[in-house]
Amino acid sequence: MLSRVHYGESPLITRLRWLPYIEIIVGSLFVLIGYIGFSYIKRSEQSNIWVGWLAKLHTNWHSPVESDGLD
């Protein structure tokens, strides 16, 4: 059996050294995509509220004023 001299780290250890950085990047991307999605949903809801409010205003603006029954 031949003995081997170890000169440095194995390729597996070298690749595993990058694992924490890759996990941080993937986690950060997940949080960023979630934040962007939440912001988009919030902005869309606010826009829909304004559209509904303006439609109601338009309807009320163009409808005749109801009498109070005293005429």
Side-chain angles (χ1 to χ4, degrees):
M1 179 165 183
L2 298 172
S3 58
R4 300 171 93 182
V5 178
H6 178 65
Y7 293 106
E9 297 175 338
S10 70
L12 178 62
I13 297 296
T14 305
R15 285 183 286 181
L16 286 176
R17 189 173 300 274
W18 287 97
L19 190 61
Y21 301 110
I22 293 170
E23 288 177 348
I24 290 172
I25 290 170
V26 169
S28 298
L29 285 174
F30 182 76
V31 169
L32 181 67
I33 290 170
Y35 175 75
I36 290 171
F38 180 74
S39 296
Y40 177 77
I41 290 170
K42 184 177 177 184
R43 194 175 320 121
S44 176
E45 283 181 354
Q46 288 176 346
S47 175
N48 288 339
I49 288 171
W50 275 104
V51 167
W53 184 79
L54 289 175
K56 180 71 173 172
L57 178 67
H58 183 265
T59 302
N60 289 343
W61 188 272
H62 292 288
S63 63
V65 176
E66 297 178 11
S67 74
D68 56 3
L70 298 177
D71 294 333

